[in-house]
Amino acid sequence: MARLALRDLVRAVVVVTGDSDFVPAFKFVRREGVKVMLCALGHASARRELKAHADFVLS
C-alpha cells in the first residue's frame, strides 16, 4: 500500500482484514491522500481502532 501511495498509482485501496496490524499502513496511505476502504467480511472482531482509521467500512 505504501509503495502504491508514494508513487501515486492508486486513489483508493480496499483492504479485506480484521487485523489491527494494518493501522499504521492505513494512517500512512491516508496521509498520502489515498482513500482506505475496509472490508471486514462481517466479522464483528474487526477492531474499533482499525475501523477508526478507514475512510469507509464495508460490511
Side-chain angles (χ1 to χ4, degrees), residues 17-26 45-51 53:
T17 189
D19 188 351
S20 62
D21 288 346
F22 281 90
V23 168
F26 281 21
S45 64
R47 304 216 13 150
R48 196 174 296 148
E49 182 183 14
L50 185 65
K51 292 177 182 178
H53 291 290

Side-chain angles (χ1 to χ4, degrees), residues 10-12 28-35:
V10 295
R11 288 191 220 160
F28 181 84
V29 299
R30 288 181 75 205
R31 280 194 303 266
E32 294 298 316
V34 174
K35 297 290 183 196

